[in-house]
């Protein structure tokens, strides 16, 4: 028999987490594959503070226990996140699987995490002793490794309310929604007063962690489209140097070629 705690408030969940050795989960779609009969689970799907999708002056705040179906059906969610969520697995999995679980698995193939990387999202992480808000890029330490401590929960994902309308998203897989991504790409591009105000890209399923190189994307920010065209090849060369795909069932050469083709298409779709 599986041992399980069923808290209905965040404070109670954090209290259990601080005093017991438990495995937190909300959807459990990955745990169902190989459950540990000796583990004690902390079921978070009834914690109301982690089930909300709300907005404040600056952010859309997505509860970590929100399912992909919750995300798809909520009017506050940007179109790119709805699109990516709709391509995750089958409807039954989307009804159970959560954005928090997708992030905390620490996989570079996570569909929603890719969007959060490109959108420069922040994560609200809470323990009984306090909380911290960090950029999602600082959360991942390597393949399947995160900075989440044993007494902490990912409670909310924060994404900016503006600058997300002009986007580019591609998932390259064998069979669309039922496929694990072989390569995925997301990008945002905004022009204000004739100059590039934002260029933000992310590559998934390529390396041990999702690739987000703000230091390269910044090359285009502040430039006009014509100025960006002049430095386009330098920009692409930097990415060509920095993208070093892992080897697996799909060759590194294939992943590299797809990444660069998607990046070029992203630029061309925005006039560069």
């Amino acid at each position: 028999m599986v041992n399980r705690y069923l808290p209905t408030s965040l404070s109670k969940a954090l209290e259990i987490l601080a005093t017991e050795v438990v495995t937190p989960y909300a959807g459990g779609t990955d745990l169902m594959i190989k459950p540990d009969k000796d583990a004690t689970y902390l079921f978070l799907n009834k914690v109301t503070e982690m089930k909300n999708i709300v907005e404040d002056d600056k952010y859309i705040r997505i509860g970590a226990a929100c399912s992909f179906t919750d995300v798809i059906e909520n009017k506050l969610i940007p179109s790119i996140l709805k699109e990516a969520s709709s391509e995750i697995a089958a409807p039954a999995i989307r009804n159970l699987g959560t954005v928090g679980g997708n992030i905390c698995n620490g996989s570079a193939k996570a569909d929603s995490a890719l969007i959060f990387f490109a959108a420069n999202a922040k994560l609200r992480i809470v323990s009984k002793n306090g909380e911290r808000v960090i950029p999602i890029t600082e959360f991942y330490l390597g393949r399947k490794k995160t900075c989440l401590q044993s007494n902490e929960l990912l409670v909310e994902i924060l994404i900016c309310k503006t600058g997300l309308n002009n986007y580019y998203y591609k998932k390259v897989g064998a069979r669309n929604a039922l496929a694990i991504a072989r390569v995925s790409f997301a990008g945002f591009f905004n022009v204000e007063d004739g100059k590039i105000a934002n260029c933000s890209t992310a590559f998934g399923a390529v390396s041990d962690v999702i690739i987000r190189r703000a230091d390269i994307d910044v090359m285009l920010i502040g430039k006009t489209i014509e100025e960006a065209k002049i430095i386009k090849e330098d920009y692409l060369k930097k990415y060509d140097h920095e993208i070093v795909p892992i080897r697996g069932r799909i060759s590194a050469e294939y992943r590299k070629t797809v990444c660069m083709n998607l990046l070029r298409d992203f630029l061309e779709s925005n006039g560069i």
Side-chain angles (χ1 to χ4, degrees):
M1 182 175 179
V2 176
N3 297 314
R4 185 169 65 169
Y5 286 101
L6 304 169
T8 57
S9 69
L10 181 59
S11 60
K12 183 61 177 177
L14 293 173
E15 182 181 331
I16 295 169
L17 201 61
T19 57
E20 303 287 342
V21 178
V22 293
T23 300
Y25 80 102
T29 52
D30 286 330
L31 292 177
M32 290 176 189
I33 299 172
K34 194 175 181 180
D36 185 349
K37 294 181 179 179
D38 296 322
T40 299
Y41 292 100
L42 181 63
F43 185 53
L44 301 169
N45 201 39
K46 303 299 182 183
V47 177
T48 55
E49 296 97 323
M50 297 176 65
K51 294 288 292 180
N52 297 320
I53 299 176
V54 297
E55 63 179 334
D56 58 25
D57 291 343
K58 187 174 182 181
Y59 297 109
I60 299 166
R61 309 175 75 100
I62 305 170
C66 289
S67 71
F68 296 112
T69 299
D70 292 333
V71 165
I72 293 166
E73 294 178 349
N74 192 282
K75 64 181 181 180
L76 294 178
I77 298 298
S79 296
I80 186 174
L81 184 53
K82 291 187 177 188
E83 182 177 336
S85 297
S86 69
E87 294 190 8
I88 294 174
I93 298 297
R94 295 196 289 270
N95 289 341
L96 288 175
T98 65
V99 288
N102 206 224
I103 292 170
C104 290
N105 278 340
S107 172
K109 298 178 180 180
D111 295 87
S112 67
L114 173 78
I115 308 306
F116 293 133
F117 263 76
N120 298 314
K122 296 180 180 180
L123 305 180
R124 180 177 168 236
I125 299 168
V126 183
S127 72
K128 187 177 178 182
N129 301 321
E131 65 177 71
R132 55 192 176 118
V133 177
I134 64 170
I136 193 171
T137 50
E138 296 179 10
F139 185 71
Y140 292 88
L141 304 178
R143 184 178 181 273
K144 299 289 185 178
K145 296 179 181 178
T146 74
C147 70
L148 194 68
Q149 301 298 308
S150 61
N151 67 335
E152 293 180 318
L153 289 175
L154 169 59
V155 174
E156 284 184 319
I157 303 97
L158 284 61
I159 56 175
C160 285
K161 295 169 63 175
T162 59
L164 304 181
N165 290 331
N166 186 35
Y167 69 87
Y168 181 105
Y169 171 69
K170 297 287 184 181
K171 176 182 176 180
V172 180
R175 290 176 293 128
N176 295 327
L178 294 179
I180 295 174
R182 290 176 174 174
V183 176
S184 55
F185 176 86
F188 296 100
F189 193 90
N190 301 102
V191 175
E192 296 178 5
D193 299 324
K195 294 187 177 181
I196 300 167
N198 180 45
C199 175
S200 177
T201 63
F203 300 82
V206 177
S207 187
D208 285 339
V209 297
I210 293 169
I211 298 172
R212 169 78 182 97
R213 293 299 302 267
D215 58 322
I216 300 178
D217 289 338
V218 76
M219 289 176 62
L220 302 182
I221 296 176
K223 304 291 193 297
T224 64
I225 295 297
E226 292 305 314
E227 289 169 339
K229 288 179 180 179
I230 295 172
I231 63 171
K232 174 181 178 178
E233 291 307 315
D234 288 337
Y235 172 85
L236 290 169
K237 284 179 182 177
K238 285 187 178 292
Y239 265 115
D240 187 61
H241 181 265
E242 295 298 332
I243 295 176
V244 183
I246 55 175
R247 296 185 180 275
R249 287 178 295 177
I250 305 302
S251 72
E253 292 78 12
Y254 171 84
R255 284 193 168 102
K256 179 68 166 283
T257 298
V258 173
C259 284
M260 296 308 298
N261 286 344
L262 290 173
L263 185 58
R264 283 185 177 276
D265 194 45
F266 166 70
L267 295 177
E268 290 171 6
S269 69
N270 285 291
I272 299 176

